[in-house]
Amino acid sequence: MNDISIVRKFNRTVTQRIGVLDAQFLGRHRSLGASRLLYEIGISGAEVRDVRSRLGLDSGYMSRLLRTLEAEGLIIMRSSLNDARVRTVSLTKDGERELKVLDVLSDEVAGSILEPLSEKQRRRLIEGMEIVEKMLTAGLIVMEVVPPESRDARSCIESYFAELNDRFEDGFAPGDSISASDSELTPPNGYFVVARIHDEAIGCGALKCYPDHGEIKRMWVSKTCRGLGAGRKILSYLEHIAREKHIPLLRLETNKALTEAQAMYRSSGYEEVVAFNNERYAHYWFQKHI
């Protein structure tokens, strides 16, 4: 059996086992799509566009599901107070009760999958599910070059600086580090890359361009998304940009506290070299011919 056949067989087994094919998912007189939509809206409510992005739904199908839930009295649709063009959706009291029922029934289905198995089989299944979930999520990561002053870029940089400040022995002050200003990261001087999953920024990286080399800067991935290979994808994307711009050599420096970054750079073909700048926070310097 080849890889494609295995994936298709897996999909058939899973969809049948968890009830995806049932017109009345979990016996609640609605489809899985409508039930999942209730879960994504949640107790705190959400913007319609955010929910649609997270679920990857066609706008027409999304509208039909929302109308169905609204007709059942489970949700309320409103225009945002800040922007009338933005629609928000929240659960009614009946919707909140229905969500609690769905949670209980979903737990029962999960339990029914585990119950017939031995302890060893359970552990293997759970470990396999964790791996599958990670790999499927990793496949959703997309890269985009964005202006360094954009909202997503700013959000990533703020999180990046905050983490460096927590992890470095003496904290981190951006003004004491070698610059990577907006102008230096705007084409053709440089490029700022954001990694996203479902339109949510989960990591970033940047490239400063010089005639004879480039410098990798601002490499960061959200803690919630580590282990998905996002950092390596960002690095590979920056290398791709460098090749397109005919930059023959890439350089970067890193702090001793960032052991994961050091390991990634070494395994990606970067060689440790003597210090090529006076970066205050650096303990290791690397370069790679591309």
Side-chain angles (χ1 to χ4, degrees), residues 167-272:
R167 296 184 65 177
F168 288 4
E169 286 182 355
D170 300 318
F172 177 74
D176 293 339
S177 182
I178 291 178
S179 69
S181 64
D182 289 354
S183 62
E184 291 175 300
L185 302 181
T186 299
N189 299 323
Y191 299 85
F192 194 99
V193 171
V194 165
R196 293 192 179 92
I197 295 177
H198 293 314
D199 289 338
E200 179 183 355
I202 56 95
C204 65
L207 173 67
K208 289 172 65 174
C209 301
Y210 299 94
D212 60 343
H213 74 281
E215 292 182 7
I216 301 293
K217 308 293 289 184
R218 306 306 194 227
M219 288 289 296
W220 173 81
V221 174
S222 170
K223 292 180 180 179
T224 61
C225 296
R226 289 173 192 173
L228 302 179
R232 199 173 295 275
K233 287 188 175 183
I234 295 170
L235 184 61
S236 178
Y237 195 78
L238 292 172
E239 291 177 352
H240 170 72
I241 294 174
R243 291 189 187 95
E244 285 193 330
K245 304 306 174 184
H246 306 291
I247 296 173
L249 177 70
L250 289 179
R251 290 176 172 173
L252 59 89
E253 69 278 339
T254 191
N255 186 276
K256 64 182 180 181
L258 305 180
T259 54
E260 312 94 324
Q262 296 164 36
M264 181 182 71
Y265 298 141
R266 294 181 193 278
S267 63
S268 299
Y270 287 79
E271 298 180 347
E272 187 176 349

Side-chain angles (χ1 to χ4, degrees), residues 37-58:
L37 188 52
L38 278 178
Y39 178 82
E40 290 296 330
I41 294 168
I43 298 298
S44 59
E47 290 185 2
V48 171
R49 61 186 179 186
D50 290 341
V51 175
R52 186 167 71 86
S53 175
R54 288 201 300 272
L55 293 178
L57 295 178
D58 170 81

Side-chain angles (χ1 to χ4, degrees), residues 28-85:
R28 299 306 291 173
H29 310 293
R30 71 181 65 85
S31 67
L32 169 62
S35 296
R36 177 63 188 276
L37 188 52
L38 278 178
Y39 178 82
E40 290 296 330
I41 294 168
I43 298 298
S44 59
E47 290 185 2
V48 171
R49 61 186 179 186
D50 290 341
V51 175
R52 186 167 71 86
S53 175
R54 288 201 300 272
L55 293 178
L57 295 178
D58 170 81
S59 58
Y61 180 51
M62 175 79 169
S63 295
R64 290 194 295 274
L65 290 178
L66 289 171
R67 287 197 298 270
T68 298
L69 294 176
E70 193 172 31
E72 289 186 62
L74 301 179
I75 64 170
I76 296 176
M77 303 281 292
R78 297 187 179 94
S79 294
S80 170
L81 295 177
N82 299 323
D83 187 343
R85 296 169 299 177

Side-chain angles (χ1 to χ4, degrees), residues 146 148 150-164 192-196 200-205 218-222 234:
V146 302
S150 66
R151 183 182 66 175
D152 282 347
R154 290 289 189 232
S155 175
C156 287
I157 288 298
E158 288 174 6
S159 297
Y160 169 69
F161 286 165
E163 180 168 352
L164 296 189
F192 194 99
V193 171
V194 165
R196 293 192 179 92
E200 179 183 355
I202 56 95
C204 65
R218 306 306 194 227
M219 288 289 296
W220 173 81
V221 174
S222 170
I234 295 170

